Structure formats: C-alpha cells, structure tokens
Amino acid sequence: MAEEIIVKINGKEHKVNIEETSDGKLKVHYDNKTYEVETKSAAEQLINEELEKKSGSKEKEIRAPLPGIVFSIKAKAGDKVREGDKLISLMAMKMENEIESPIDGRIKEIKVKKNTSVNKGDLLIIFE
Amino acid sequence: MVNISEFKDKIKKFDNRKEEAALDKDKVKEQHSKGKLTAEERIKLLVDQGSFTELDEFVELKSHNFDLQERKKSRDGVITGFGTVNKRKVCVYAQDFTFMGGSMGEMHNKKIAKVMDLALKTGCPCIGLLDSGGARIQEGINSLDGGGYIFKTNTLASGVIPQISAIMGPCAGIAVYSPALTDFIFIVDKTSYMFITGPDVIKSVTGEQIDSLGLGGAKVHNEKSGVAHFFANDEKECILKIKKLLSYLPQNNLEIPAASNTEDDPERQNKNIEGIVPLDQKKAYDVRDVLKEVIDKGSFFEVHEGFAQNAVVGFGRLNSQAVGIVANQPKVSAGCLDINSSDKISRFVRVCDSFNIPLVNFVDVTGYLPGMEQEHNGVIRHGAKILFAYSEATVPKISLVMRKAYGGAYIAMVSKDMGYDYVLAWPFAEIAVMGAEQAVNILNKKDSESAKKAKVKEFSEKFLNPYEAAKQGKVDAVIDPKDTRKALINALGMLSSKREAVVERRRKYKKHGNIPA
C-alpha cells in the first residue's frame, strides 16, 4: 500500500506517495512526477555508516601506553600539531618512549607535568 | 546389450541434478551487492586454474523440522574439495552465504569435518573460507553436535597440517570456534565480523550498544583482541595473502618448508645497521628496519602486525630458507614483554615448532612490564607461555642480542641453558639481571648519592657488556653488526640437521605438556 505524505515547502503543499516495487526499488510520486529511487541494502548501509563513524571519531586524547615518568614535554596547550609529531617523552622500561600525536590538530590541555610518574592509561593530552 | 536411450536418460538426470546444485542467481547478485564474492568465485581465486575437484556435491540436509525439506538444496551451503595452490596440494571448504545464510546444519558440518579429515590423512594444508551466521537453528542439537565434530577434527589436525581460516562475511556463534582452533585467521575489512554473541543479545543482556563491526570487525580482531592474524582490505587481497603465507609453510609436520630462491647474497654485509640502531640505549628505533636489512630482500611477512606491537613476529627467509622471526620492538612501549606480547610470541613459536621452521630472535628488551594492571590480569601465567613454548620447541633456536637483554626477558629470549642453540651478541649488547641504576638502588640502598654514582659506574663496566656472558659460554659469539646476516645464515646451516633425540623420545611417553594457557 502506498502511503501519502503531505510536505510543506515554503508554504506550498506537495503530495508525496512512496511505493515499493517488486525488485526492492522505491517509486516516489511527487506532485505529478514520478521518480525511481534505489535504496541501499542493510549491509551497504552498515559499511557506509561505519566508514563515516571512523572518519568522524578521531582520537581526542592521548593516554599513557605504559607506566613511567614524564621525561620531557615537547608541546604546550594551544599548539597546532601534526600526526606523528613527538609530544611527550616517557621514561619507562629504561627507555625514552616518544609519544606521538595520533592526529593533526590543536592541543587543548596537557594533563601531566615533567618528572611526575604516570600509570598505564593515565590521560596525558587532550585535543580540541 | 547397451540400452543407449536409458544411458542418455541417466546422464541427463545427472546433468539436471548438477544444475540444481548451482547457485541461485538472485542471491548471487545480493552477495555481490554486499561487496562479497560467492563461495565458488573465492575457491576459483585461491586454487590453480582447473585444479579443483569438488566433493560431496549432492549432500543435502536430512532434517524434517519446520519447512527444511522444501528449502533443501544440494551441497547444503558449503563447497568442499581439493586442488592445488602454486602446484601444492590443499584441501578447501567455502561456506555459501546464499544458501540459508551459510548456516551450519548437520550435513554442512559433516562435509567440513570430512574434507578436514582428508587433509589430515593426506598431509596437506586445509583452508576454510568462512561466511556463516552460525548454527542452523532449525536443525536443533544436530547442528551443534556437527560443530563439535569440526572442532575435534581441528584439534586433531593441529600441529600436523597447517590450518588457515579466512573470515569473509559474518562468522557468529559456533562458527567462530573452528577458526579459533586453526593456526591463522584472516579477516576482510568492512564485510566481515566475528563474535560469539551479537549486538542484539549484548544489548538485551548488558545494555551495551554496539554495532557488528565495532564489536568484532577486522580492525577490532587485528588490533585489540588478537583473534585475527592478518587484515585484508578486500577478498582478493585476503586470498593473495593466504597464498603468500602458504609459501612459508610445509605441507605437514613431517616436511620442511620449501626454499624459495630470493637471489640475495648470503655474504651481503649489513652496513646500514649503524644508521638504524642508536648506541644510546635510551633511544628507540623500528626493529623492522633491522630485520629488513638482515634477512633476504623483500622476504619479511609479518604476522599479527596490529596486535601487541611491542613485539614483532613474522616469517622471512635467510639464504632462501624460511625462518620464523621474533623481535622486540623498542619503538612501542620500549619493546617490553607483557600479557599480549607473551601470547603473540608463544603462539608464533609453537606454530614454527610444529612446522619445522627455525626460530631467530632479535633481542632488545629490558623485561616484563611492571604494574598492577599486568599483575592482576595474570602476566605471570601469560609470560610463562613464552618460557614453555621456547623450552618445548625442538627446531633450531638462534638468538641475537642487539642491545639489551635483562632479567626474565633474557631467560625467555636468550638463555642457552633454557635451550637456545646459538646465541650471538653485538659488541654494545648489555646482558645483565637489570640496569645499573636499578641494581645499585637495591644493593646499596643506604649509600650516599655520590657513592651510588660510583657503584653505578662499576656495575655498568662489569655487567653491561656482552663479554661477561661470553666468558662463561652463555654467548657463543660476539659479532660486528655488519656481519649479522652472514653469521645467522652460517648458524642456520650448521643447525639445519639438529635433532633433539632426548626431548623427542620423552615426548612419546607423555601425552602432552600443560601450557599455562
């Protein structure tokens, strides 16, 4: 059964009818014109949504990958950084572990001070 | 007398049956629209042209539950058979998602176990191309028992023939456990996922909201869970990678991997190492650069690339012979050993030992990662797996200490007494129980700072070198880094005929060891 929808655009009413054809496409009747619309399968939609989410949900923070002592901080709040820039050096397991920026972006806040110790998972840097 | 028309009639009926077994065209279209190939197309991509022989083409489901008898079809949703990949025999099965969502019914499962059993009897690799929603619910407990048959066959075949699984679509519920019992899992990005319970069940039980790919997609299993060993952007890449992996593996546990002529000079000097490895022990580098410099050009094939990146494991070739490489990665978490890298290393070592692939370690590690999180999650039992795996392995075991080998990590990755056959060290290697400052802080707790400083110097000079270990025969040779390739190839040549008769005999009298799983 086609369902009729009334759409108001700039004060003018338009009649829209949507009808599903046997091959899964949609027929959209808009006033007196008819458009055939192809919809995506659930899997395709899932893939697209997933891709969008991935590009949209960039990491907004850096957490300590292992317990150690903050040896040096090479950036400050407000700095514009590029992906791969070395931001903090963490002395752990007798080595300087360079912590790099995972993104291109601007630093909002640095949550640690030099010579303080951090645990694995502690918040180090927040991006804007 | 031959009745010609009856003969022709029988052949016609046979042809009709074959046609019935063919895939439903509309469903094929649907499969393609999801960016997925069909089971037939996947097998065609994998095996050498014209080499495939199908088995059990006329098998169909037996159950009379619900409407199953009206829906049944030849093959019962899985194509099984044998063929060759680069002229080497393999057994293959590919689940057909277009038939009842690739669901695993009683006969479907029997077909899979049967072809696995053929691979086991004939000593050839078995490759599964999976695309299934899990158990066929309508068939009830018979579908579950069939799963049990597959798992048992997987387990019996483990360590005898290489078993490879590729996830090329959904793989849910009981379908996940067969891959998990095999040696390697590939998973294709965006179209594939693996989980035991899906998003709907999770939502109703725990209230957590997550989608299928976020729960068990290719990235999740390659980077977080470590369930998958290889990531593929699409199905073609996945199948090419399977072929590449096979090139490093033998047909079964009684054979050695075939050599592949890499045409790289075995005497080639490794002059680039001095530009890769910083002498300042505190500075990190990418250990892959060292591996690529030393082994045959273009031969490195990394396994578990995205998981526990503080360790690097993979296959490579030295003088054209396959080797298994285990390296600490100083660039990530100081290359420490922790829960996940212990799992990664021990599993890889056992695969190599099963299939007669010599092991070469590239060591630069200060130890196991300290911390409550690690201890409470059982770093003791996970870390012990590395000790177990290496101690048990009878393949040639070579270890190269590049810079640091301290404490427990030294035992795991270098110790001659634990069974390493040949230990090499670069002249700036430090082999000790721990770093100088840590040692002095423990041994000379009450000393003044200046006294401690002197002690640190004394400790460093005494222990932080390869010669103290070499004096006692715990390092077989100290070598110039530029001679690394030559030295490793030389050692592998010597060890190629290695036999551990005592260990092998002892194994016959016990069922199996008890790995701290």
Side-chain angles (χ1 to χ4, degrees), chain A residues 43-44 47 50-51 53 65-67 91-97 120, chain B residues 33 190 211 213 282-283 333-334 366-367 370 373 403-404 406 435 438:
Chain A
E44 277 174 289
I47 291 168
E50 196 57 29
L51 284 178
K53 245 187 264 166
L66 69 174
M91 188 63 91
M93 302 300 288
K94 305 170 189 83
M95 281 188 72
E96 292 164 22
N97 298 272
K120 185 176 172 179
Chain B
S33 75
K190 297 187 190 99
D211 55 37
L213 293 178
K282 291 194 180 77
K283 300 283 182 215
S333 297
T366 52
E373 179 246 5
R403 296 198 309 184
K404 294 181 293 278
Y406 290 170
Q438 292 76 14

Side-chain angles (χ1 to χ4, degrees), chain A residues 58-70 87-90 92 97-103 107 109-112 117-127, chain B residues 224 331-333 369 373:
Chain A
K58 280 187 180 154
E59 290 172 67
K60 290 276 187 204
E61 59 186 36
I62 302 181
R63 287 176 181 275
L66 69 174
I69 292 165
V70 179
L87 304 182
I88 282 183
S89 179
L90 195 63
N97 298 272
E98 303 285 358
I99 295 167
E100 297 172 351
S101 174
I103 56 162
I107 294 174
E109 197 183 347
I110 294 185
K111 301 290 280 184
V112 287
S117 64
V118 292
N119 268 320
K120 185 176 172 179
D122 281 0
L123 194 56
L124 304 179
I125 287 175
I126 305 174
F127 293 99
Chain B
K224 287 203 172 119
K331 209 181 87 164
V332 180
S333 297
L369 181 66
E373 179 246 5

Side-chain angles (χ1 to χ4, degrees), chain B residues 447-464:
Chain B
D447 285 9
S448 67
E449 284 305 309
S450 62
K452 274 187 187 168
K453 242 184 185 165
K455 291 271 184 204
V456 165
K457 198 163 172 258
E458 190 191 332
F459 187 94
S460 303
E461 276 165 13
K462 181 155 175 58
F463 291 122
L464 300 188

Side-chain angles (χ1 to χ4, degrees), chain B residues 300-469:
Chain B
F300 189 52
F301 186 55
E302 192 165 348
V303 178
H304 252 153
E305 187 178 341
F307 178 64
Q309 296 182 31
N310 36 338
V312 172
V313 304
F315 297 105
R317 292 188 183 277
L318 273 165
N319 200 20
S320 302
Q321 302 290 340
V323 290
I325 294 166
V326 176
N328 306 113
Q329 173 59 291
K331 209 181 87 164
V332 180
S333 297
C336 67
L337 296 177
D338 59 1
I339 289 172
N340 285 345
S341 64
S342 297
D343 276 358
K344 173 170 165 173
I345 291 171
S346 51
R347 181 154 180 82
F348 184 72
V349 167
R350 279 166 80 87
V351 162
C352 290
D353 188 49
S354 295
F355 298 117
N356 309 313
I357 303 168
L359 288 160
V360 182
N361 290 357
F362 287 74
V363 181
D364 189 352
V365 60
T366 52
Y368 283 92
L369 181 66
M372 201 162 73
E373 179 246 5
Q374 287 286 309
E375 298 289 351
H376 286 188
N377 285 305
V379 67
I380 295 174
R381 71 191 158 85
H382 291 284
K385 288 178 203 173
I386 304 189
L387 309 177
F388 194 102
Y390 276 119
S391 296
E392 197 187 39
T394 56
V395 288
K397 290 175 284 190
I398 298 172
S399 185
L400 166 72
V401 184
M402 298 183 294
R403 296 198 309 184
K404 294 181 293 278
Y406 290 170
Y410 159 79
I411 305 176
M413 299 196 65
V414 189
S415 168
K416 290 247 1 162
D417 285 350
M418 208 184 75
Y420 283 93
D421 300 299
Y422 203 77
V423 175
L424 298 159
W426 287 345
F428 37 85
E430 298 182 352
I431 302 175
V433 176
M434 58 178 71
E437 279 155 38
Q438 292 76 14
V440 170
N441 276 333
I442 293 169
L443 296 176
N444 309 76
K445 229 178 226 168
K446 290 174 186 160
D447 285 9
S448 67
E449 284 305 309
S450 62
K452 274 187 187 168
K453 242 184 185 165
K455 291 271 184 204
V456 165
K457 198 163 172 258
E458 190 191 332
F459 187 94
S460 303
E461 276 165 13
K462 181 155 175 58
F463 291 122
L464 300 188
N465 60 63
Y467 304 109
E468 194 60 25

Side-chain angles (χ1 to χ4, degrees), chain B residues 9-26:
Chain B
D9 195 41
K10 294 269 186 211
I11 298 293
K12 194 162 183 297
K13 277 187 182 151
F14 166 68
D15 286 341
N16 288 345
R17 270 185 173 267
K18 282 218 151 214
E19 252 168 57
E20 278 168 28
L23 302 182
D24 181 334
K25 281 199 181 100
D26 289 338

